[in-house]
Amino acid sequence: MGEHDTVRVRLRAALCADDPWTALYALHSPNTDRPGLLAGAVEELYRSETDHTAVRRYLTWFLRSLGEPGDAVLLRLSAAPGLAADDRQDLLRTAVARGLRLPAELLRTYAQDAPASSGGIAGTGGSPAPELVDAMGLSGDPSFAPSLGALLEDPAAPRGRAALALGRLGARAWTAPIAGRLSEVTGLDHTAFAVALELMGDPAAVPHLLRWLAESGEERVYDVHHALVRLTGRDPLLPERAGGAAYARAVRAAWADGRTERAPAVVRDLVVESGARARFSVDEGAGRIRVAFDPPSPGSSWPRWDRSLTFDRKPLYRVGSLCDTCELGLTLLDWPDGEAARIAARMRGRLADLDRLDTALLAEWSPVLGELETGHYRVLLLDLPLEQVVEPARSWWYRRAAARTEADGDDGQGPECDRPEDYWPGVAHFQLTAPVPGGRVPFTYGAFLPSQPPEALDPATVARHAAAVAAGERPAAVVLGWIDDRYVEALHEERWLVGAILDGHHRLAAYAAAGVPARVLLLARVGEGGGADGGLEGLAEVAAVYGCRE
């Protein structure tokens, strides 16, 4: 039996398993170097099976996991003549989820052939299927804009998806119609309209947004404020932890004068509480280093969901959603450009042997702190017991999941698809040697991820810092971090001290190798989002245990 036949037999066996999802996952795992064979076997089965209704969703899901070979099969199957309506819808939905650009003529054929209830386009007797609207937005073909724009007027149509599709097409002729209809939509549609304007990047939306901000209910203010910040670059400071009506009043006051030009960044309200704790605020921050929402995922019902830590708008790590019952996981996306990585290096002169915080020190660093995003910050000078972890099985990202499984009574044996590498952030990193003791939340984990490739570290520089540590000096690393609180699956309360290393990779490597607690200057933004109170509580607990002793 040849390799092709073996893969085909194993694919059929996986589809017949008691749990096809896990079986397919396991089938792909040991064959990561042969996705082309797997994709070919799926295509052959899809075309030859006379009744593949029972396995259709498994096959298309599996194609999504196979990368470019799977994408090529999806495109070929989508163009096959005589597709049943359910097949067409499933393939189209999968192609959208992969962000594929389907040929415009194929989409027009879909629109003409499908009944209104399963994919017709406006003007043919009904509203289109959402996945067809999404596909038109991904097509890059501006000729779809008039049909998509017509959907904005139909309350029965997927109006939010249509607005996002126009935003992806960059169809700026529809900026004013989208902005002018913000008062007509609510909930996720309102968010989608605001995000569509952000995708459009058209300053013509700003006057509409300012007018609507003055009139809108408080539940819609966040969307309008976020769009104004993105479109103008102006990011005014709001009160710490303001919520509800107070938040809405603060936002309206910040934009009341109609000013849209960004002013120079100002570091204010600088207070040193002790040699190990301080706070400050950044108004009109440059935002060169920030956590920002990703563009909406095609096909998703949530216009704002995933976030990434970005350096000069270039994503470094995917941070995931704000959903507090979802699991926190960071994933390396790309390394920042050199200039962004040099921002924190401008603080280096005072980091060689840092033993306390003072006002003069933070004032000296104000030009660097102004490069952060607008917000309220806490500064902690910490001595953290860190280890460098290079094996997925040793990382807290996996060990916390294994611990939850054991707590659930599964004897520490997770599902077959839960491999250590499935939780790995994609890069060697530093982590606390044990969870933070004594906190309200049973487990507070800690992980600091690099902003430059670990393999680029210079051994001679690490050795130089190791010698300084051995001599009693305490060179400090700078970390932009935050506290993340989760109630995973509404079963497991979990807290993370997590962050990105801005400066001091060599120093942390030296500390970890020596087994000496690492001196870390932690900059943590607070007061934004639902976890603000937990963030302050978590930072206080970290400071109580690891704060640098004067």
Side-chain angles (χ1 to χ4, degrees), residues 41-62:
V42 171
E43 181 174 15
E44 182 180 330
L45 181 59
Y46 199 101
R47 291 181 182 275
S48 63
E49 194 76 15
T50 54
D51 183 13
H52 57 250
T53 303
V55 297
R56 178 201 305 119
R57 60 186 181 136
Y58 299 118
L59 293 176
T60 50
W61 174 85
F62 194 47

mmCIF file with all atom_site columns, all heavy atoms in Angstrom, residues 41-62:
data_model
loop_
_atom_site.group_PDB
_atom_site.id
_atom_site.type_symbol
_atom_site.label_atom_id
_atom_site.label_alt_id
_atom_site.label_comp_id
_atom_site.label_asym_id
_atom_site.label_entity_id
_atom_site.label_seq_id
_atom_site.pdbx_PDB_ins_code
_atom_site.Cartn_x
_atom_site.Cartn_y
_atom_site.Cartn_z
_atom_site.occupancy
_atom_site.B_iso_or_equiv
_atom_site.pdbx_formal_charge
_atom_site.auth_seq_id
_atom_site.auth_comp_id
_atom_site.auth_asym_id
_atom_site.auth_atom_id
_atom_site.pdbx_PDB_model_num
ATOM 1   N N   . ALA A 1 41 ? -6.363  13.787 -0.077 1.00 0.00 ? 41 ALA A N   1
ATOM 2   C CA  . ALA A 1 41 ? -7.266  12.716 0.330  1.00 0.00 ? 41 ALA A CA  1
ATOM 3   C C   . ALA A 1 41 ? -8.648  13.267 0.658  1.00 0.00 ? 41 ALA A C   1
ATOM 4   O O   . ALA A 1 41 ? -9.669  12.640 0.336  1.00 0.00 ? 41 ALA A O   1
ATOM 5   C CB  . ALA A 1 41 ? -6.675  11.976 1.533  1.00 0.00 ? 41 ALA A CB  1
ATOM 6   N N   . VAL A 1 42 ? -8.689  14.432 1.286  1.00 0.00 ? 42 VAL A N   1
ATOM 7   C CA  . VAL A 1 42 ? -9.986  15.049 1.586  1.00 0.00 ? 42 VAL A CA  1
ATOM 8   C C   . VAL A 1 42 ? -10.716 15.396 0.291  1.00 0.00 ? 42 VAL A C   1
ATOM 9   O O   . VAL A 1 42 ? -11.921 15.133 0.154  1.00 0.00 ? 42 VAL A O   1
ATOM 10  C CB  . VAL A 1 42 ? -9.787  16.319 2.443  1.00 0.00 ? 42 VAL A CB  1
ATOM 11  C CG1 . VAL A 1 42 ? -11.101 17.090 2.566  1.00 0.00 ? 42 VAL A CG1 1
ATOM 12  C CG2 . VAL A 1 42 ? -9.268  15.955 3.831  1.00 0.00 ? 42 VAL A CG2 1
ATOM 13  N N   . GLU A 1 43 ? -10.020 15.976 -0.666 1.00 0.00 ? 43 GLU A N   1
ATOM 14  C CA  . GLU A 1 43 ? -10.659 16.355 -1.924 1.00 0.00 ? 43 GLU A CA  1
ATOM 15  C C   . GLU A 1 43 ? -11.201 15.125 -2.650 1.00 0.00 ? 43 GLU A C   1
ATOM 16  O O   . GLU A 1 43 ? -12.336 15.135 -3.155 1.00 0.00 ? 43 GLU A O   1
ATOM 17  C CB  . GLU A 1 43 ? -9.670  17.089 -2.821 1.00 0.00 ? 43 GLU A CB  1
ATOM 18  C CG  . GLU A 1 43 ? -10.278 17.535 -4.144 1.00 0.00 ? 43 GLU A CG  1
ATOM 19  C CD  . GLU A 1 43 ? -9.344  18.391 -4.964 1.00 0.00 ? 43 GLU A CD  1
ATOM 20  O OE1 . GLU A 1 43 ? -8.126  18.423 -4.662 1.00 0.00 ? 43 GLU A OE1 1
ATOM 21  O OE2 . GLU A 1 43 ? -9.817  19.035 -5.914 1.00 0.00 ? 43 GLU A OE2 1
ATOM 22  N N   . GLU A 1 44 ? -10.404 14.069 -2.676 1.00 0.00 ? 44 GLU A N   1
ATOM 23  C CA  . GLU A 1 44 ? -10.846 12.838 -3.347 1.00 0.00 ? 44 GLU A CA  1
ATOM 24  C C   . GLU A 1 44 ? -12.097 12.282 -2.691 1.00 0.00 ? 44 GLU A C   1
ATOM 25  O O   . GLU A 1 44 ? -13.053 11.880 -3.368 1.00 0.00 ? 44 GLU A O   1
ATOM 26  C CB  . GLU A 1 44 ? -9.711  11.814 -3.297 1.00 0.00 ? 44 GLU A CB  1
ATOM 27  C CG  . GLU A 1 44 ? -10.034 10.502 -4.000 1.00 0.00 ? 44 GLU A CG  1
ATOM 28  C CD  . GLU A 1 44 ? -8.877  9.525  -3.922 1.00 0.00 ? 44 GLU A CD  1
ATOM 29  O OE1 . GLU A 1 44 ? -7.711  9.977  -3.875 1.00 0.00 ? 44 GLU A OE1 1
ATOM 30  O OE2 . GLU A 1 44 ? -9.141  8.309  -3.905 1.00 0.00 ? 44 GLU A OE2 1
ATOM 31  N N   . LEU A 1 45 ? -12.104 12.259 -1.353 1.00 0.00 ? 45 LEU A N   1
ATOM 32  C CA  . LEU A 1 45 ? -13.264 11.727 -0.644 1.00 0.00 ? 45 LEU A CA  1
ATOM 33  C C   . LEU A 1 45 ? -14.482 12.617 -0.853 1.00 0.00 ? 45 LEU A C   1
ATOM 34  O O   . LEU A 1 45 ? -15.600 12.111 -1.071 1.00 0.00 ? 45 LEU A O   1
ATOM 35  C CB  . LEU A 1 45 ? -12.932 11.612 0.852  1.00 0.00 ? 45 LEU A CB  1
ATOM 36  C CG  . LEU A 1 45 ? -14.028 11.044 1.751  1.00 0.00 ? 45 LEU A CG  1
ATOM 37  C CD1 . LEU A 1 45 ? -14.424 9.637  1.309  1.00 0.00 ? 45 LEU A CD1 1
ATOM 38  C CD2 . LEU A 1 45 ? -13.570 11.022 3.206  1.00 0.00 ? 45 LEU A CD2 1
ATOM 39  N N   . TYR A 1 46 ? -14.291 13.921 -0.817 1.00 0.00 ? 46 TYR A N   1
ATOM 40  C CA  . TYR A 1 46 ? -15.404 14.849 -0.978 1.00 0.00 ? 46 TYR A CA  1
ATOM 41  C C   . TYR A 1 46 ? -16.048 14.684 -2.352 1.00 0.00 ? 46 TYR A C   1
ATOM 42  O O   . TYR A 1 46 ? -17.278 14.724 -2.497 1.00 0.00 ? 46 TYR A O   1
ATOM 43  C CB  . TYR A 1 46 ? -14.905 16.280 -0.808 1.00 0.00 ? 46 TYR A CB  1
ATOM 44  C CG  . TYR A 1 46 ? -15.986 17.296 -0.511 1.00 0.00 ? 46 TYR A CG  1
ATOM 45  C CD1 . TYR A 1 46 ? -16.198 17.760 0.777  1.00 0.00 ? 46 TYR A CD1 1
ATOM 46  C CD2 . TYR A 1 46 ? -16.796 17.807 -1.524 1.00 0.00 ? 46 TYR A CD2 1
ATOM 47  C CE1 . TYR A 1 46 ? -17.181 18.705 1.067  1.00 0.00 ? 46 TYR A CE1 1
ATOM 48  C CE2 . TYR A 1 46 ? -17.784 18.746 -1.257 1.00 0.00 ? 46 TYR A CE2 1
ATOM 49  C CZ  . TYR A 1 46 ? -17.972 19.187 0.039  1.00 0.00 ? 46 TYR A CZ  1
ATOM 50  O OH  . TYR A 1 46 ? -18.948 20.110 0.313  1.00 0.00 ? 46 TYR A OH  1
ATOM 51  N N   . ARG A 1 47 ? -15.228 14.480 -3.379 1.00 0.00 ? 47 ARG A N   1
ATOM 52  C CA  . ARG A 1 47 ? -15.753 14.377 -4.745 1.00 0.00 ? 47 ARG A CA  1
ATOM 53  C C   . ARG A 1 47 ? -16.342 13.004 -5.033 1.00 0.00 ? 47 ARG A C   1
ATOM 54  O O   . ARG A 1 47 ? -17.257 12.882 -5.852 1.00 0.00 ? 47 ARG A O   1
ATOM 55  C CB  . ARG A 1 47 ? -14.642 14.670 -5.754 1.00 0.00 ? 47 ARG A CB  1
ATOM 56  C CG  . ARG A 1 47 ? -14.180 16.127 -5.768 1.00 0.00 ? 47 ARG A CG  1
ATOM 57  C CD  . ARG A 1 47 ? -13.102 16.330 -6.817 1.00 0.00 ? 47 ARG A CD  1
ATOM 58  N NE  . ARG A 1 47 ? -12.569 17.681 -6.853 1.00 0.00 ? 47 ARG A NE  1
ATOM 59  C CZ  . ARG A 1 47 ? -13.103 18.694 -7.520 1.00 0.00 ? 47 ARG A CZ  1
ATOM 60  N NH1 . ARG A 1 47 ? -14.222 18.510 -8.209 1.00 0.00 ? 47 ARG A NH1 1
ATOM 61  N NH2 . ARG A 1 47 ? -12.537 19.889 -7.501 1.00 0.00 ? 47 ARG A NH2 1
ATOM 62  N N   . SER A 1 48 ? -15.830 11.966 -4.378 1.00 0.00 ? 48 SER A N   1
ATOM 63  C CA  . SER A 1 48 ? -16.238 10.610 -4.732 1.00 0.00 ? 48 SER A CA  1
ATOM 64  C C   . SER A 1 48 ? -17.384 10.083 -3.869 1.00 0.00 ? 48 SER A C   1
ATOM 65  O O   . SER A 1 48 ? -18.130 9.205  -4.299 1.00 0.00 ? 48 SER A O   1
ATOM 66  C CB  . SER A 1 48 ? -15.047 9.647  -4.610 1.00 0.00 ? 48 SER A CB  1
ATOM 67  O OG  . SER A 1 48 ? -14.593 9.581  -3.266 1.00 0.00 ? 48 SER A OG  1
ATOM 68  N N   . GLU A 1 49 ? -17.511 10.610 -2.673 1.00 0.00 ? 49 GLU A N   1
ATOM 69  C CA  . GLU A 1 49 ? -18.541 10.107 -1.766 1.00 0.00 ? 49 GLU A CA  1
ATOM 70  C C   . GLU A 1 49 ? -19.912 10.532 -2.282 1.00 0.00 ? 49 GLU A C   1
ATOM 71  O O   . GLU A 1 49 ? -20.187 11.728 -2.448 1.00 0.00 ? 49 GLU A O   1
ATOM 72  C CB  . GLU A 1 49 ? -18.307 10.659 -0.359 1.00 0.00 ? 49 GLU A CB  1
ATOM 73  C CG  . GLU A 1 49 ? -19.103 9.965  0.717  1.00 0.00 ? 49 GLU A CG  1
ATOM 74  C CD  . GLU A 1 49 ? -18.528 8.600  1.070  1.00 0.00 ? 49 GLU A CD  1
ATOM 75  O OE1 . GLU A 1 49 ? -17.388 8.311  0.698  1.00 0.00 ? 49 GLU A OE1 1
ATOM 76  O OE2 . GLU A 1 49 ? -19.255 7.840  1.713  1.00 0.00 ? 49 GLU A OE2 1
ATOM 77  N N   . THR A 1 50 ? -20.781 9.540  -2.563 1.00 0.00 ? 50 THR A N   1
ATOM 78  C CA  . THR A 1 50 ? -22.099 9.870  -3.103 1.00 0.00 ? 50 THR A CA  1
ATOM 79  C C   . THR A 1 50 ? -22.969 10.570 -2.065 1.00 0.00 ? 50 THR A C   1
ATOM 80  O O   . THR A 1 50 ? -23.802 11.415 -2.410 1.00 0.00 ? 50 THR A O   1
ATOM 81  C CB  . THR A 1 50 ? -22.813 8.586  -3.588 1.00 0.00 ? 50 THR A CB  1
ATOM 82  O OG1 . THR A 1 50 ? -22.836 7.627  -2.503 1.00 0.00 ? 50 THR A OG1 1
ATOM 83  C CG2 . THR A 1 50 ? -22.071 7.977  -4.762 1.00 0.00 ? 50 THR A CG2 1
ATOM 84  N N   . ASP A 1 51 ? -22.783 10.232 -0.810 1.00 0.00 ? 51 ASP A N   1
ATOM 85  C CA  . ASP A 1 51 ? -23.547 10.908 0.241  1.00 0.00 ? 51 ASP A CA  1
ATOM 86  C C   . ASP A 1 51 ? -22.577 11.309 1.355  1.00 0.00 ? 51 ASP A C   1
ATOM 87  O O   . ASP A 1 51 ? -22.308 10.533 2.263  1.00 0.00 ? 51 ASP A O   1
ATOM 88  C CB  . ASP A 1 51 ? -24.636 9.987  0.787  1.00 0.00 ? 51 ASP A CB  1
ATOM 89  C CG  . ASP A 1 51 ? -25.496 10.689 1.847  1.00 0.00 ? 51 ASP A CG  1
ATOM 90  O OD1 . ASP A 1 51 ? -25.385 11.931 1.947  1.00 0.00 ? 51 ASP A OD1 1
ATOM 91  O OD2 . ASP A 1 51 ? -26.244 10.005 2.566  1.00 0.00 ? 51 ASP A OD2 1
ATOM 92  N N   . HIS A 1 52 ? -22.030 12.521 1.247  1.00 0.00 ? 52 HIS A N   1
ATOM 93  C CA  . HIS A 1 52 ? -21.055 12.954 2.247  1.00 0.00 ? 52 HIS A CA  1
ATOM 94  C C   . HIS A 1 52 ? -21.671 13.932 3.241  1.00 0.00 ? 52 HIS A C   1
ATOM 95  O O   . HIS A 1 52 ? -20.959 14.638 3.946  1.00 0.00 ? 52 HIS A O   1
ATOM 96  C CB  . HIS A 1 52 ? -19.830 13.598 1.587  1.00 0.00 ? 52 HIS A CB  1
ATOM 97  C CG  . HIS A 1 52 ? -20.157 14.764 0.700  1.00 0.00 ? 52 HIS A CG  1
ATOM 98  N ND1 . HIS A 1 52 ? -20.029 14.699 -0.660 1.00 0.00 ? 52 HIS A ND1 1
ATOM 99  C CD2 . HIS A 1 52 ? -20.597 16.005 0.980  1.00 0.00 ? 52 HIS A CD2 1
ATOM 100 C CE1 . HIS A 1 52 ? -20.377 15.857 -1.183 1.00 0.00 ? 52 HIS A CE1 1
ATOM 101 N NE2 . HIS A 1 52 ? -20.722 16.669 -0.203 1.00 0.00 ? 52 HIS A NE2 1
ATOM 102 N N   . THR A 1 53 ? -23.007 13.958 3.311  1.00 0.00 ? 53 THR A N   1
ATOM 103 C CA  . THR A 1 53 ? -23.665 14.883 4.226  1.00 0.00 ? 53 THR A CA  1
ATOM 104 C C   . THR A 1 53 ? -23.197 14.679 5.659  1.00 0.00 ? 53 THR A C   1
ATOM 105 O O   . THR A 1 53 ? -22.946 15.634 6.396  1.00 0.00 ? 53 THR A O   1
ATOM 106 C CB  . THR A 1 53 ? -25.193 14.712 4.154  1.00 0.00 ? 53 THR A CB  1
ATOM 107 O OG1 . THR A 1 53 ? -25.627 14.922 2.807  1.00 0.00 ? 53 THR A OG1 1
ATOM 108 C CG2 . THR A 1 53 ? -25.891 15.690 5.079  1.00 0.00 ? 53 THR A CG2 1
ATOM 109 N N   . ALA A 1 54 ? -23.051 13.411 6.048  1.00 0.00 ? 54 ALA A N   1
ATOM 110 C CA  . ALA A 1 54 ? -22.702 13.117 7.436  1.00 0.00 ? 54 ALA A CA  1
ATOM 111 C C   . ALA A 1 54 ? -21.286 13.543 7.785  1.00 0.00 ? 54 ALA A C   1
ATOM 112 O O   . ALA A 1 54 ? -20.979 13.788 8.952  1.00 0.00 ? 54 ALA A O   1
ATOM 113 C CB  . ALA A 1 54 ? -22.880 11.618 7.704  1.00 0.00 ? 54 ALA A CB  1
ATOM 114 N N   . VAL A 1 55 ? -20.398 13.617 6.785  1.00 0.00 ? 55 VAL A N   1
ATOM 115 C CA  . VAL A 1 55 ? -18.987 13.925 7.075  1.00 0.00 ? 55 VAL A CA  1
ATOM 116 C C   . VAL A 1 55 ? -18.571 15.285 6.531  1.00 0.00 ? 55 VAL A C   1
ATOM 117 O O   . VAL A 1 55 ? -17.427 15.687 6.715  1.00 0.00 ? 55 VAL A O   1
ATOM 118 C CB  . VAL A 1 55 ? -18.065 12.830 6.491  1.00 0.00 ? 55 VAL A CB  1
ATOM 119 C CG1 . VAL A 1 55 ? -18.353 11.492 7.140  1.00 0.00 ? 55 VAL A CG1 1
ATOM 120 C CG2 . VAL A 1 55 ? -18.196 12.735 4.975  1.00 0.00 ? 55 VAL A CG2 1
ATOM 121 N N   . ARG A 1 56 ? -19.484 16.024 5.884  1.00 0.00 ? 56 ARG A N   1
ATOM 122 C CA  . ARG A 1 56 ? -19.113 17.277 5.238  1.00 0.00 ? 56 ARG A CA  1
ATOM 123 C C   . ARG A 1 56 ? -18.447 18.242 6.211  1.00 0.00 ? 56 ARG A C   1
ATOM 124 O O   . ARG A 1 56 ? -17.386 18.800 5.937  1.00 0.00 ? 56 ARG A O   1
ATOM 125 C CB  . ARG A 1 56 ? -20.359 17.939 4.643  1.00 0.00 ? 56 ARG A CB  1
ATOM 126 C CG  . ARG A 1 56 ? -20.073 19.288 3.985  1.00 0.00 ? 56 ARG A CG  1
ATOM 127 C CD  . ARG A 1 56 ? -21.311 20.171 3.850  1.00 0.00 ? 56 ARG A CD  1
ATOM 128 N NE  . ARG A 1 56 ? -22.397 19.508 3.157  1.00 0.00 ? 56 ARG A NE  1
ATOM 129 C CZ  . ARG A 1 56 ? -23.580 19.274 3.719  1.00 0.00 ? 56 ARG A CZ  1
ATOM 130 N NH1 . ARG A 1 56 ? -23.802 19.631 4.976  1.00 0.00 ? 56 ARG A NH1 1
ATOM 131 N NH2 . ARG A 1 56 ? -24.538 18.685 3.040  1.00 0.00 ? 56 ARG A NH2 1
ATOM 132 N N   . ARG A 1 57 ? -19.047 18.440 7.370  1.00 0.00 ? 57 ARG A N   1
ATOM 133 C CA  . ARG A 1 57 ? -18.511 19.440 8.293  1.00 0.00 ? 57 ARG A CA  1
ATOM 134 C C   . ARG A 1 57 ? -17.159 19.032 8.845  1.00 0.00 ? 57 ARG A C   1
ATOM 135 O O   . ARG A 1 57 ? -16.320 19.887 9.151  1.00 0.00 ? 57 ARG A O   1
ATOM 136 C CB  . ARG A 1 57 ? -19.489 19.711 9.432  1.00 0.00 ? 57 ARG A CB  1
ATOM 137 C CG  . ARG A 1 57 ? -19.818 18.503 10.286 1.00 0.00 ? 57 ARG A CG  1
ATOM 138 C CD  . ARG A 1 57 ? -20.903 18.828 11.296 1.00 0.00 ? 57 ARG A CD  1
ATOM 139 N NE  . ARG A 1 57 ? -21.198 17.672 12.139 1.00 0.00 ? 57 ARG A NE  1
ATOM 140 C CZ  . ARG A 1 57 ? -21.357 17.739 13.449 1.00 0.00 ? 57 ARG A CZ  1
ATOM 141 N NH1 . ARG A 1 57 ? -21.236 18.907 14.062 1.00 0.00 ? 57 ARG A NH1 1
ATOM 142 N NH2 . ARG A 1 57 ? -21.635 16.667 14.149 1.00 0.00 ? 57 ARG A NH2 1
ATOM 143 N N   . TYR A 1 58 ? -16.931 17.715 8.945  1.00 0.00 ? 58 TYR A N   1
ATOM 144 C CA  . TYR A 1 58 ? -15.600 17.267 9.389  1.00 0.00 ? 58 TYR A CA  1
ATOM 145 C C   . TYR A 1 58 ? -14.549 17.539 8.322  1.00 0.00 ? 58 TYR A C   1
ATOM 146 O O   . TYR A 1 58 ? -13.427 17.962 8.623  1.00 0.00 ? 58 TYR A O   1
ATOM 147 C CB  . TYR A 1 58 ? -15.620 15.766 9.707  1.00 0.00 ? 58 TYR A CB  1
ATOM 148 C CG  . TYR A 1 58 ? -16.571 15.366 10.802 1.00 0.00 ? 58 TYR A CG  1
ATOM 149 C CD1 . TYR A 1 58 ? -17.629 14.487 10.540 1.00 0.00 ? 58 TYR A CD1 1
ATOM 150 C CD2 . TYR A 1 58 ? -16.430 15.848 12.100 1.00 0.00 ? 58 TYR A CD2 1
ATOM 151 C CE1 . TYR A 1 58 ? -18.507 14.108 11.543 1.00 0.00 ? 58 TYR A CE1 1
ATOM 152 C CE2 . TYR A 1 58 ? -17.310 15.472 13.101 1.00 0.00 ? 58 TYR A CE2 1
ATOM 153 C CZ  . TYR A 1 58 ? -18.348 14.604 12.819 1.00 0.00 ? 58 TYR A CZ  1
ATOM 154 O OH  . TYR A 1 58 ? -19.211 14.226 13.810 1.00 0.00 ? 58 TYR A OH  1
ATOM 155 N N   . LEU A 1 59 ? -14.910 17.289 7.068  1.00 0.00 ? 59 LEU A N   1
ATOM 156 C CA  . LEU A 1 59 ? -13.942 17.465 5.983  1.00 0.00 ? 59 LEU A CA  1
ATOM 157 C C   . LEU A 1 59 ? -13.555 18.932 5.805  1.00 0.00 ? 59 LEU A C   1
ATOM 158 O O   . LEU A 1 59 ? -12.374 19.251 5.644  1.00 0.00 ? 59 LEU A O   1
ATOM 159 C CB  . LEU A 1 59 ? -14.522 16.910 4.681  1.00 0.00 ? 59 LEU A CB  1
ATOM 160 C CG  . LEU A 1 59 ? -14.741 15.390 4.626  1.00 0.00 ? 59 LEU A CG  1
ATOM 161 C CD1 . LEU A 1 59 ? -15.420 15.005 3.316  1.00 0.00 ? 59 LEU A CD1 1
ATOM 162 C CD2 . LEU A 1 59 ? -13.422 14.641 4.775  1.00 0.00 ? 59 LEU A CD2 1
ATOM 163 N N   . THR A 1 60 ? -14.545 19.817 5.820  1.00 0.00 ? 60 THR A N   1
ATOM 164 C CA  . THR A 1 60 ? -14.206 21.226 5.621  1.00 0.00 ? 60 THR A CA  1
ATOM 165 C C   . THR A 1 60 ? -13.452 21.782 6.830  1.00 0.00 ? 60 THR A C   1
ATOM 166 O O   . THR A 1 60 ? -12.533 22.592 6.680  1.00 0.00 ? 60 THR A O   1
ATOM 167 C CB  . THR A 1 60 ? -15.477 22.058 5.352  1.00 0.00 ? 60 THR A CB  1
ATOM 168 O OG1 . THR A 1 60 ? -16.459 21.766 6.355  1.00 0.00 ? 60 THR A OG1 1
ATOM 169 C CG2 . THR A 1 60 ? -16.060 21.719 3.985  1.00 0.00 ? 60 THR A CG2 1
ATOM 170 N N   . TRP A 1 61 ? -13.820 21.341 8.035  1.00 0.00 ? 61 TRP A N   1
ATOM 171 C CA  . TRP A 1 61 ? -13.060 21.763 9.227  1.00 0.00 ? 61 TRP A CA  1
ATOM 172 C C   . TRP A 1 61 ? -11.619 21.296 9.118  1.00 0.00 ? 61 TRP A C   1
ATOM 173 O O   . TRP A 1 61 ? -10.686 22.044 9.447  1.00 0.00 ? 61 TRP A O   1
ATOM 174 C CB  . TRP A 1 61 ? -13.710 21.181 10.482 1.00 0.00 ? 61 TRP A CB  1
ATOM 175 C CG  . TRP A 1 61 ? -12.916 21.434 11.737 1.00 0.00 ? 61 TRP A CG  1
ATOM 176 C CD1 . TRP A 1 61 ? -12.940 22.542 12.522 1.00 0.00 ? 61 TRP A CD1 1
ATOM 177 C CD2 . TRP A 1 61 ? -11.952 20.556 12.323 1.00 0.00 ? 61 TRP A CD2 1
ATOM 178 N NE1 . TRP A 1 61 ? -12.056 22.412 13.569 1.00 0.00 ? 61 TRP A NE1 1
ATOM 179 C CE2 . TRP A 1 61 ? -11.441 21.201 13.478 1.00 0.00 ? 61 TRP A CE2 1
ATOM 180 C CE3 . TRP A 1 61 ? -11.479 19.278 12.007 1.00 0.00 ? 61 TRP A CE3 1
ATOM 181 C CZ2 . TRP A 1 61 ? -10.474 20.616 14.305 1.00 0.00 ? 61 TRP A CZ2 1
ATOM 182 C CZ3 . TRP A 1 61 ? -10.520 18.699 12.821 1.00 0.00 ? 61 TRP A CZ3 1
ATOM 183 C CH2 . TRP A 1 61 ? -10.032 19.365 13.953 1.00 0.00 ? 61 TRP A CH2 1
ATOM 184 N N   . PHE A 1 62 ? -11.412 20.076 8.641  1.00 0.00 ? 62 PHE A N   1
ATOM 185 C CA  . PHE A 1 62 ? -10.063 19.542 8.529  1.00 0.00 ? 62 PHE A CA  1
ATOM 186 C C   . PHE A 1 62 ? -9.255  20.328 7.490  1.00 0.00 ? 62 PHE A C   1
ATOM 187 O O   . PHE A 1 62 ? -8.068  20.603 7.688  1.00 0.00 ? 62 PHE A O   1
ATOM 188 C CB  . PHE A 1 62 ? -10.145 18.063 8.148  1.00 0.00 ? 62 PHE A CB  1
ATOM 189 C CG  . PHE A 1 62 ? -8.849  17.305 8.313  1.00 0.00 ? 62 PHE A CG  1
ATOM 190 C CD1 . PHE A 1 62 ? -8.105  17.422 9.466  1.00 0.00 ? 62 PHE A CD1 1
ATOM 191 C CD2 . PHE A 1 62 ? -8.385  16.481 7.306  1.00 0.00 ? 62 PHE A CD2 1
ATOM 192 C CE1 . PHE A 1 62 ? -6.918  16.718 9.625  1.00 0.00 ? 62 PHE A CE1 1
ATOM 193 C CE2 . PHE A 1 62 ? -7.198  15.774 7.448  1.00 0.00 ? 62 PHE A CE2 1
ATOM 194 C CZ  . PHE A 1 62 ? -6.467  15.901 8.614  1.00 0.00 ? 62 PHE A CZ  1
#
